[in-house]
Structure formats: structure tokens, C-alpha cells
Amino acid sequence: MNAIVTKVFKSGNSLAVRLPRELGFEADAVVQIERRGNEVVIVDAGQQQSRFQAMLKRLADMPRPAEPEQREPFDYPDRPGLID
């Protein structure tokens, strides 16, 4: 898709940009806006939330590591001259 040039305008006390239909979201969509250097990234927050929930589910379904093996205590023999 080619870059689309538009202007920023004032809407109340906020700045706004009108998104063309081909770049738009549903009318009631919740979006997450993030500045990355001189770029502004708009992501569908509902989609982000569902991906996050899916990741949490996959993590919860992962097998847990086994408990560490318990060993008998080991007494080190005296070794003169090793430690002053």
C-alpha cells in the first residue's frame, strides 16, 4: 500500500488525524497508540488483548520443571593448606 498523506487537525483540546477507510477500524474499536521515535503506531487493543490472553494460556499449559533432587549433605574432608 502506498503512503497516504493527511493533515493533523484540532478536535476540541486534542489533535486528530482522519484515517482513510482502508486503514480504519470499526467505529467502537478500542485502540492502543504508541510513539516510537518519530512514528505513531496504532494497534487494535482488543486484538492485542486476545493475543496476550492466548500467550498466557500457552504459558499456563507448559509442563512444569521437575522438583530438584534432594541429596544427602556432603562433608568435605580436611585439606590442610588449601585455605589459610
Side-chain angles (χ1 to χ4, degrees):
M1 177 177 207
N2 295 332
I4 298 170
V5 178
T6 186
K7 288 187 176 182
V8 176
F9 61 94
K10 189 103 167 141
S11 175
N13 288 332
S14 300
L15 296 176
V17 174
R18 190 166 274 119
L19 294 176
R21 185 173 304 234
E22 60 269 15
L23 296 178
F25 298 92
E26 295 294 321
D28 292 333
V30 177
V31 296
Q32 176 180 334
I33 303 171
E34 180 180 340
R35 179 183 289 271
R36 296 180 187 166
N38 64 349
E39 296 179 338
V40 175
V41 179
I42 303 172
V43 179
D44 185 342
Q47 188 178 42
Q48 284 288 96
Q49 183 68 14
S50 63
R51 284 194 296 191
F52 180 71
Q53 294 297 333
M55 180 194 64
L56 288 178
K57 170 124 178 57
R58 284 194 305 272
L59 285 173
D61 292 343
M62 288 178 71
R64 303 276 183 225
E67 289 294 319
E69 177 184 335
Q70 297 296 321
R71 297 183 178 184
E72 295 295 320
F74 181 77
D75 290 328
Y76 292 97
D78 288 335
R79 296 174 68 179
L82 191 60
I83 300 176
D84 293 328

